[in-house]
Amino acid sequence: MMGARILAVTIFIVMFLLIVMDKIERHYVTLACGAFTLIGVFGIIMKDWNAILETLNVKSIFTLNFWYEAAGAEESTMGINWSTIIFIAGMMIMVEGMAKAGFFRWLCMLLAKLVRYKTIPLFVSFMLMSFVLAMFIDSITVILFLAAVTIELARLLNFNPVPMILSEIFCANLGGSATMCGDPPNIIIGTSLKYSFGDFITNTGVIAAISLVFIVFYFLLVFRKELTVQKDIKALAASMPAPREAITNKKDFIISCIIFACAVILLVTHAQTGFTVAFIGAVIAAVTLVTSGKYAIKLLKKVDYKTLLFFIGLFIVVGGLEKTGILELIAAWIGSVSHGNFKLMITIIILVSGMASALVDNIPFAATMVPVIKSLAAAQGVDLATLAWALSMGTDIGGSATPIGASANVVGTSVAAKNGHIIGWGKYCKTAVPATLIVIFISLICIFIRYC
């Protein structure tokens, strides 16, 4: 077993280093490391073919409980989390359908018009919109469209778009922490530990909402000098296109709004209905494709398959750590360091996950830590849910601190750079690190007051 543990840890470390170096596309990295785990760790060293089958976890897809949570039934959480894969794929298809209909551009233009194109109200409203949209839509997509519209408005209204983009990125990550479907780490935590949309929004959602108040004031204070506009706003507002011009097809727009509303309702009520997130993702994707008609093939082509493959390889590597007992050892270490002190345990989880997610992608870290907190809760007899909320806030918010900590950060800075607005590490971290520390501190206080 020692040889298997050493190889599993080595593969995991190599995977992390290659992801951070970003020289090879990350889905190739995780798939290759996943293959080495299956062949090297399980096949050659352990000679355990059942471990390979359990890690691939394909048979779980063909069980009733995978699609509908029957009372008393248990879904396999070992290995590849196919619920996460199918749910994310379904949301990707829905979002592409909404983008095609012009939903995001319409929403941004409407909001800009409502605040009469004034920079400071626009700044605050776009932060709030980024937060709210990211609660239900992948933060990568939210930032992709918000950043593009922000740059367009900045060009017309003659203001610097960088402060707004930086605040939008942070608020998207903060909004993503509020719900189960907002950020990939939460999807992993929710599907693995069987927490519902309602569980997240009534726990991490409360923390995120409280944090948002402080963050809005923080960014207003930091960027107050850069938000001053000298041009005649009234003249510029008169020349701006009407929001309805962003709608490419009225029928498709209405249909996409209905599908989005149905997705939100299904997610909010899935604890009561018993429909799993895999079922919801599959149904929403199917309805979107059917209503798209001839455009369905193009929607399928627009799905980010690289991200889905990245998840598959990642789950296999983490499965190697789980099967060889490494994660139990990490849990035991946290329990030993904390001496059974619940508050210290929570502090370690949220600080370590925050710092780790700032330097490496928060998705693999979350996938690694889920089985760790499960082992920790079982061994120390503490509340698993509280550890899950600490892990969620740590990974989601920690990833906001640096340009590489979360995918939304990479997308936002890339969109800005393509339009001539370079956001370097210094400029990014100068505002994002203090904001991250503020939210982590608020999260700790909220968790201590409510759960300890």
Side-chain angles (χ1 to χ4, degrees):
M1 179 62 78
M2 183 57 69
R5 285 178 175 174
I6 292 172
L7 182 57
V9 170
T10 302
I11 291 172
F12 182 76
I13 292 172
V14 169
M15 180 190 74
F16 251 111
L17 291 175
L18 289 174
I19 290 173
V20 173
M21 290 169 63
D22 200 24
K23 298 295 183 183
I24 306 172
E25 290 192 69
R26 61 180 192 171
H27 67 288
Y28 289 133
V29 172
T30 60
L31 287 174
C33 291
F36 279 118
T37 299
L38 292 174
I39 297 169
V41 177
F42 298 149
I44 297 175
I45 298 180
M46 294 177 64
K47 294 182 175 60
D48 187 350
W49 303 110
N50 284 329
I52 296 176
L53 294 176
E54 288 176 3
T55 302
L56 292 175
N57 199 26
V58 176
K59 66 178 182 179
S60 67
I61 300 174
F62 302 99
T63 62
L64 174 63
N65 198 53
F66 183 84
W67 305 100
Y68 178 80
E69 290 183 353
E74 290 190 8
E75 177 193 342
S76 173
T77 56
M78 187 76 70
I80 300 174
N81 189 328
W82 290 108
S83 292
T84 297
I85 304 296
I86 293 172
F87 176 69
I88 292 178
M91 292 299 102
M92 284 178 176
I93 292 172
M94 180 192 73
V95 166
E96 288 297 337
M98 295 173 69
K100 170 184 169 289
F103 176 84
F104 298 105
R105 187 164 294 275
W106 166 81
L107 185 60
C108 291
M109 296 303 293
L110 178 64
L111 196 56
K113 184 178 180 180
L114 289 174
V115 298
R116 299 178 180 179
Y117 305 99
K118 293 180 180 179
T119 311
I120 292 179
L122 199 63
F123 181 76
V124 174
S125 61
F126 268 55
M127 288 175 69
L128 296 176
M129 180 165 60
S130 179
F131 179 90
V132 173
L133 284 176
M135 290 172 64
F136 307 101
I137 302 172
D138 181 71
S139 57
I140 300 171
T141 304
V142 172
I143 290 301
L144 187 63
F145 288 95
L146 277 185
V149 175
T150 297
I151 289 170
E152 182 180 331
L153 288 173
R155 191 178 295 117
L156 292 169
L157 300 178
N158 194 32
F159 66 85
N160 180 9
V162 171
M164 197 175 289
I165 290 174
L166 288 175
S167 65
E168 288 165 359
I169 291 171
F170 194 91
C171 286
N173 289 326
L174 183 59
S177 70
T179 65
M180 196 185 87
C181 59
D183 260 2
N186 282 12
I187 298 173
I188 293 170
I189 294 169
T191 54
S192 299
L193 302 180
K194 291 193 173 183
Y195 293 138
S196 68
F197 184 95
D199 292 330
F200 272 91
I201 205 164
T202 54
N203 289 280
T204 58
V206 173
I207 298 172
I210 294 170
S211 301
L212 179 64
V213 176
F214 289 89
I215 290 303
V216 168
F217 282 107
Y218 166 77
F219 278 114
L220 279 173
L221 181 65
V222 170
F223 292 125
R224 64 190 183 282
K225 293 181 180 179
E226 299 180 54
L227 296 174
T228 304
V229 180
Q230 302 298 329
K231 280 196 173 185
D232 184 0
I233 295 296
K234 290 184 178 179
L236 286 169
S239 65
M240 294 292 289
R244 65 176 178 274
E245 293 180 22
I247 301 173
T248 57
N249 184 297
K250 191 173 182 180
K251 179 183 175 183
D252 290 345
F253 178 82
I254 294 171
I255 291 173
S256 66
C257 289
I258 293 172
I259 292 173
F260 177 62
C262 290
V264 172
I265 292 170
L266 286 170
L267 285 168
V268 171
T269 61
H270 85 92
Q272 288 73 41
T273 62
F275 295 132
T276 66
V277 291
F279 176 84
I280 294 169
V283 168
I284 291 300
V287 173
T288 302
L289 292 172
V290 169
T291 55
S292 297
K294 295 179 180 179
Y295 197 78
I297 300 300
K298 290 184 179 179
L299 284 184
L300 287 172
K301 289 180 179 179
K302 286 179 174 289
V303 171
D304 188 358
Y305 293 103
K306 291 181 179 180
T307 296
L308 300 179
L309 291 172
F310 166 77
F311 273 117
I312 291 172
L314 169 65
F315 284 129
I316 294 173
V317 175
V318 173
L321 297 179
E322 190 171 8
K323 281 286 187 182
T324 55
I326 294 297
L327 299 182
E328 289 182 8
L329 294 176
I330 295 173
W333 175 80
I334 294 175
S336 175
V337 170
S338 63
H339 301 292
N341 186 310
F342 193 35
K343 287 187 178 180
L344 183 56
M345 212 177 290
I346 292 168
T347 303
I348 292 172
I349 289 172
I350 200 167
L351 291 180
V352 170
S353 60
M355 289 187 289
S357 296
L359 299 175
V360 295
D361 196 301
N362 57 5
I363 297 171
F365 186 82
T368 307
M369 285 297 292
V370 166
V372 169
I373 64 171
K374 285 176 68 177
S375 299
L376 188 61
Q380 300 293 324
V382 296
D383 182 35
L384 174 60
T386 305
L387 300 183
W389 311 143
L391 176 62
S392 172
M393 295 306 299
T395 51
D396 289 334
I397 301 307
S400 302
T402 65
I404 63 169
S407 300
N409 312 4
V410 177
V411 170
T413 53
S414 297
V415 171
K418 286 178 183 177
N419 289 273
H421 302 281
I422 307 299
I423 304 175
W425 271 70
K427 176 70 174 176
Y428 186 97
C429 295
K430 184 180 179 181
T431 55
V433 170
T436 302
L437 293 175
I438 289 170
V439 177
I440 285 179
F441 177 74
I442 292 171
S443 300
L444 276 173
I445 297 299
C446 290
I447 291 173
F448 286 166
I449 292 174
R450 185 171 178 183
Y451 306 106
C452 298

